[in-house]
Amino acid sequence: MAAELKHKKRHACVIVLGDIGRSPRMQYHAQSLLEDNYNVDIIGYLETRPLEALSACKIHELSAVPVTNLTPQLKLLFKAFWQTLSLLMALISIRRPNFLLVQNPPGIPTLIVCYLYCALTRTKLAIDWHNYTYTVLAMGTAGGEQSRLIRLVKRLERYFGSKAHTHFCVTRAMQEDLQRNWNIGPVTVLYDRAPTQFHPIDLPQKHELFMKLSKDYPQFMPQCYADLKQSGVLEATALTQKLANGSVLYKPQRQAILVSSTSWTPDEDFGLLLQALQSYEKTALAEPQLYPALLCVITGKGPQKEQYEAEMGKMQWHKVNIVTPWLENEDYPSILASADLGVCLHWSTSGLDLPMKVVDMFGSGLPVCAYNFKCLDELVKHGENGFVFGDHHELAEQLRIWFENFPNNPSIQETQTRFGRSLQQFQELRWRESWRLNAAPILEAFL
């Protein structure tokens, strides 16, 4: 029977009421389903190019919500109405799947539409809880969680969420909350794990990436090309040089790379990082022999990006340089593996989800400084695999300690070795293996 199921084509539909290309976890779900011999439909928005592996899926692009001049609450209602129609039309157009696998948030109108579709077509419904819709919407709503609109959203999310046949979530804390306070179950914890494209890389690979980035971002170019005139140097970047014999070396007294990935949304206080960098600038200027220049690579797209780029443009820094590229899927893992330290500014609106960007950093072998919140210790353990901070003062102190006498501080090298052992253990379980263990058996029960 198991062999029969393995070779029989199954049909699954993955639903993301957001940009598919910026929904890595749902893309990994779809890729795993493909590898398990499913025909996969994906419904969502196509603002960013999805993973190449999903070319075998049939992607149904939703129509963008038209821009209106309505009040904020009427905009939400109009958006929900538009998305309801778009999602219904997409669902009607696909071959009936064995199950829908739906991302939440956003849960309105996703959960309502998907429940009605499943009830009418006798299709199984699985929800992957990344967070709670009502807590996300409460951030930008007057009155927060106590407003009438948000209380209504919470009731709808709770009622229709409970109608699913099975549930996945991202933390044990969320599993406990769903089961105890929402009376929702069964709930399976499916932790985010880095897929195989996130892994450590060697120095020649880092050099190739820096050469590629230097074509578009002058921060990666050497300050002058005098080093190319030196005997034996073929090509150089701001951080590396390639010799005539093919070997690649770091430049002496090179700058350090600090990387952060952000969605430029209110649940990530980017101003906190700017304050910490301002402190580092003062420290590095006062003791230039102890502290290197920092090249901060901030990746991602989002609504507040232009606002912060304007703010960064006003900074008259000499020891800190910031570049904000949008990297292609194949370059993002490489920049993480090429950095010296990662920073995560994510805090959870519910206190119950974990930042996938830290998972990506750990998969790439990159230690991280992460903003502390309720369940972060399910991923980041202070002093074991990274650092945890609560404000910009703590982050600034962590940057100061980590980069003192960079890159030859014996104390930090010892810490790096300890962190490296923890990160190697983390890398032993990848997304694919975790999905096979925790998700595949549950979804196969729907066949």
Side-chain angles (χ1 to χ4, degrees), residues 309-317:
E309 281 183 327
E311 194 171 329
M312 288 183 285
K314 299 174 185 175
M315 303 295 184
Q316 300 297 316
W317 288 340

Side-chain angles (χ1 to χ4, degrees), residues 157-356:
E157 184 176 21
R158 180 172 184 165
Y159 178 78
F160 287 99
S162 69
K163 299 297 182 181
H165 298 90
T166 197
H167 305 261
F168 300 103
C169 70
V170 293
T171 62
R172 296 204 177 279
M174 182 175 284
Q175 178 194 46
E176 183 179 337
D177 189 65
L178 284 168
Q179 292 178 161
R180 178 181 296 178
N181 299 323
W182 290 55
N183 198 28
I184 284 178
V187 182
T188 301
V189 178
L190 180 62
Y191 281 118
D192 286 318
R193 307 296 296 196
T196 53
Q197 62 261 37
F198 292 92
H199 57 80
I201 62 176
D202 58 26
L203 187 55
Q205 290 172 301
K206 295 177 185 180
H207 176 73
E208 286 178 17
L209 175 68
F210 298 152
M211 287 295 295
K212 180 179 179 180
L213 292 174
S214 68
K215 295 174 183 176
D216 296 312
Y217 304 101
Q219 293 89 343
F220 289 92
M221 295 174 63
Q223 288 185 350
C224 65
Y225 285 90
D227 21 10
L228 296 182
K229 298 176 184 177
Q230 295 176 13
S231 175
V233 177
L234 287 181
E235 58 187 22
T237 71
L239 303 106
T240 54
Q241 54 191 12
K242 186 174 183 178
L243 307 183
N245 62 9
S247 63
V248 176
L249 303 172
Y250 275 124
K251 285 187 171 180
Q253 300 172 339
R254 71 174 177 94
Q255 58 190 329
I257 297 182
L258 184 74
V259 67
S260 183
S261 175
T262 177
S263 54
W264 303 97
T265 52
D267 63 349
E268 296 185 7
D269 185 0
F270 191 75
L272 191 150
L273 176 58
L274 291 182
Q275 288 176 293
L277 291 175
Q278 179 65 54
S279 296
Y280 182 86
E281 166 80 5
K282 291 179 180 177
T283 301
L285 281 176
E287 300 179 89
Q289 72 283 3
L290 289 182
Y291 297 98
L294 279 188
L295 175 57
C296 300
V297 181
I298 315 297
T299 72
K301 288 182 178 179
Q304 295 184 333
K305 183 175 182 179
E306 290 185 5
Q307 170 194 332
Y308 279 112
E309 281 183 327
E311 194 171 329
M312 288 183 285
K314 299 174 185 175
M315 303 295 184
Q316 300 297 316
W317 288 340
H318 302 282
K319 300 289 284 185
V320 177
N321 213 338
I322 299 178
V323 58
T324 57
W326 171 251
L327 299 173
E328 295 298 332
N329 288 328
E330 60 270 19
D331 291 334
Y332 176 58
S334 297
I335 196 66
L336 296 186
S338 301
D340 300 294
L341 186 66
V343 173
C344 175
L345 302 168
H346 173 88
W347 61 273
S348 170
T349 58
S350 65
L352 300 172
D353 70 304
L354 291 171
M356 183 175 275

Side-chain angles (χ1 to χ4, degrees), residues 11-131:
H11 299 271
C13 179
V14 176
I15 296 179
V16 182
L17 213 65
D19 180 13
I20 297 169
R22 284 192 283 166
S23 304
R25 181 177 167 100
M26 300 310 287
Q27 292 187 86
Y28 302 157
H29 273 300
Q31 185 175 354
S32 295
L33 288 164
L34 280 173
E35 292 169 357
D36 264 23
N37 204 37
Y38 283 84
N39 283 319
V40 181
D41 290 281
I42 306 177
I43 297 175
Y45 296 100
L46 275 176
E47 299 167 11
T48 308
R49 182 166 62 90
L51 295 173
E52 194 65 36
L54 301 187
S55 59
C57 297
K58 188 170 183 182
I59 297 179
H60 306 264
E61 184 178 2
L62 296 175
S63 302
V65 180
V67 177
T68 64
N69 292 320
L70 300 171
T71 63
Q73 290 199 348
L74 285 176
K75 272 186 182 178
L76 281 176
L77 291 173
F78 176 77
K79 181 180 180 181
F81 174 74
W82 182 273
Q83 290 181 327
T84 297
L85 291 179
S86 299
L87 185 52
L88 276 172
M89 290 173 66
L91 283 167
I92 291 168
S93 71
I94 67 172
R95 176 174 175 173
R96 186 175 76 84
N98 295 105
F99 57 83
L100 301 185
L101 179 56
V102 180
Q103 173 183 295
N104 182 56
I108 308 299
T110 321
L111 299 184
I112 303 170
V113 174
C114 291
Y115 163 71
L116 293 174
Y117 173 85
C118 289
L120 290 171
T121 61
R122 297 184 181 179
T123 300
K124 300 296 184 182
L125 176 60
I127 299 175
D128 193 21
W129 296 79
H130 300 188
N131 201 347

